[in-house]
Amino acid sequence: MSTETDDKHQFRTATRLVHAGYDPHEYHGFVNAPVVHASTVLFPDAATMRRRDHTYLYGLRGTPTTDALEGALNDLEGAAGTILVPSGLAAISVPLLAFLSHGDHCLVVDSVYGPTRLFCDTLLTRMGVETEYFDPAIGEGLRGLMRENTRVVFLEAPGSNTFEMIDIRLMAGIAREGGAVSMIDNTWATPLFLRPLDFGVDLSIHALTKYPGGHSDLMLGSVSANAATYKPLRDAQMQIGVNAAPDDAYLTLRGLKTMEVRLRAHERAALDLARWLETRPEVARVLHPALPSFPGHDLWKAQFTGASGLFSFVLKGGGREQADAFLDALRIFGLGYSWGGFESLALQVDLSDRRFAKAPPEGPVIRLQIGLEDTDDLREDIERGFSAIAALG
């Protein structure tokens, strides 16, 4: 990338994805960041070591590889700083541990990722933190749930598996007015389709395992923070003692360079299939926020600049037998957890832990991750699943 200007923010997103975080001319002209494996860092003398006046202190605290990825994410998120951790779930647990203590109250949207709920209901409970879940449709009513000891408001948009939309700016503002830190799981949208800090959120959380990695071969998470929350976040990370492996950071940097191209392909294919599923008699409804028929579509349109490849649909009638018949008949869609890779995936959603955002009553919910295969082949595969349901009689 040219070094003639320091203002990289003048470039559009696709260009920034290719060049952000690393300048080849700072490392012999090689276009990719170096993979630095390190634990010990040597100091030139005792005085420098005592002052800790050195670019790098120890491998746990970062290397040129992790710095490059953090820098790229800072640029994409508009963040003051970013930390990297070994998984998406770690990217959820570390900021919660950073800002919650015994006796605190934590508000969590009820449509949150299941492992987030498990973390809150187990480890945070043992710490003496009270977690209260709220309806994603609560809106201004969130003010009534704030207490003097509310320290965190945890959001996710769209909601996990059922894709409920929330007013992000409103909820982040309510949190700030009440003295709480707001954080959001932004994995579905990536920084390309939503920059939460621009809406007043303090911390933006990602499972880099998903679209940034993009190839189903790494585990990584990130938390990007504003100026007010970055230092306590980084301190907590170092106190816990977790950081990212350089190989995974490198693979994620490489994934970022093609992420917009891949995301646009995921978006087009998913919307094509979602619109087609709306016409199918086997489907009660499609849960995709970019569809005008979706109840939260207006909120999605006002806040997001695109949609990724993950959505759900509700089978019209039946239960586990019908869901299993559909899934077992699929030949292209794999049955697996996670998403965001090049391959299409499907599973039946379990919503039994919900308190407000309950399971749709019409039938089982099937979640689809639309990969990069030919859309006609995927359509035929879904038809294969519907035929299997019909064969049950």
Side-chain angles (χ1 to χ4, degrees):
M1 183 177 182
S2 172
T3 56
E4 292 179 0
T5 176
D6 294 327
D7 186 13
K8 297 178 181 178
H9 298 284
Q10 67 177 300
F11 299 118
R12 294 172 178 83
T13 302
T15 305
R16 289 160 64 187
L17 279 168
V18 171
H19 296 286
Y22 171 70
D23 183 349
H25 298 289
E26 293 179 359
Y27 196 82
H28 310 294
F30 292 110
V31 297
N32 285 311
V35 180
V36 178
H37 296 91
S39 56
T40 299
V41 176
L42 298 180
F43 297 83
D45 51 59
T48 303
M49 190 176 189
R50 187 178 304 110
R51 293 194 308 269
R52 303 167 74 86
D53 183 18
H54 202 265
T55 303
Y56 297 100
L57 302 176
Y58 187 66
L60 176 64
R61 293 181 174 271
T63 71
T65 315
T66 56
D67 279 359
L69 180 54
E70 289 175 0
L73 293 171
N74 287 340
D75 176 59
L76 294 171
E77 293 271 16
T82 293
I83 68 166
L84 303 175
V85 288
S87 69
L89 182 55
I92 291 165
S93 59
V94 169
L96 286 171
L97 291 171
F99 293 97
L100 289 168
S101 302
H102 180 85
D104 288 345
H105 176 240
C106 176
L107 286 169
V108 178
V109 66
D110 190 49
S111 52
V112 76
Y113 175 52
T116 304
R117 186 188 300 268
L118 180 64
F119 180 81
C120 292
D121 291 347
T122 54
L123 197 147
L124 286 187
T125 298
R126 293 199 302 273
M127 282 176 53
V129 174
E130 180 186 355
T131 300
E132 182 178 358
Y133 298 95
F134 63 88
D135 190 331
I138 196 171
E140 286 280 358
L142 184 64
R143 295 183 193 279
L145 300 183
M146 296 290 293
R147 306 178 190 172
E148 288 186 2
N149 64 333
T150 302
R151 296 292 175 261
V152 167
V153 175
F154 193 100
L155 308 171
E156 184 170 341
S160 190
N161 296 321
T162 42
F163 303 94
E164 294 87 352
M165 291 303 305
I166 58 175
D167 187 328
I168 298 167
R169 191 182 300 279
L170 171 67
M171 292 185 172
I174 291 172
R176 184 161 296 172
E177 290 168 13
V181 170
S182 61
M183 49 188 76
I184 187 169
D185 187 334
N186 189 36
T187 302
W188 182 87
T190 81
L192 271 66
F193 295 157
L194 177 71
R195 287 177 24 131
L197 273 61
D198 292 348
F199 288 79
V201 176
D202 295 303
L203 300 157
S204 177
I205 294 166
H206 291 279
L208 301 176
T209 307
K210 308 299 196 295
Y211 291 114
H215 293 79
S216 303
D217 57 1
L218 65 90
M219 299 286 292
L220 205 63
S222 67
V223 189
S224 295
N226 59 19
T229 57
Y230 175 61
K231 186 179 185 304
L233 175 70
R234 178 67 82 177
D235 288 347
Q237 179 200 21
M238 290 297 100
Q239 289 154 9
I240 295 169
V242 294
N243 208 324
D247 299 276
D248 290 335
Y250 170 82
L251 287 172
T252 304
L253 273 166
R254 190 169 68 172
L256 286 180
K257 298 181 190 308
T258 62
M259 186 168 71
E260 182 169 53
V261 176
R262 289 184 285 105
L263 264 177
R264 293 300 181 186
H266 289 297
E267 177 184 43
R268 286 192 301 270
L271 275 169
D272 181 23
L273 290 169
R275 293 184 184 112
W276 171 72
L277 282 167
E278 284 194 304
T279 71
R280 294 291 304 201
E282 302 90 347
V283 174
R285 51 181 156 140
V286 179
L287 308 178
H288 191 313
L291 292 177
S293 60
F294 188 75
H297 175 71
D298 289 343
L299 274 173
W300 171 82
K301 193 172 181 180
Q303 300 173 109
F304 292 74
T305 59
S308 64
L310 191 76
F311 70 96
S312 296
F313 69 91
V314 185
L315 285 172
K316 188 175 291 183
R320 179 176 294 178
E321 182 183 11
Q322 285 70 24
D324 285 354
F326 175 87
L327 294 170
D328 290 344
L330 300 173
R331 290 171 51 197
I332 298 175
F333 284 86
L335 306 186
Y337 297 106
S338 195
W339 41 274
F342 54 83
E343 80 288 13
S344 292
L345 299 170
L347 56 76
Q348 181 184 0
V349 171
D350 179 8
L351 301 171
S352 60
D353 59 356
R354 299 288 183 88
R355 303 182 185 183
F356 300 100
K358 297 286 190 178
E362 299 96 331
V365 178
I366 304 295
R367 191 186 76 183
L368 300 178
Q369 136 76 7
I370 306 303
L372 301 177
E373 301 93 342
D374 187 279
T375 308
D376 288 337
D377 287 334
L378 295 177
R379 186 179 290 107
E380 290 170 6
D381 207 34
I382 294 171
E383 287 178 332
R384 196 174 291 117
F386 289 149
S387 296
I389 294 175
L392 294 174

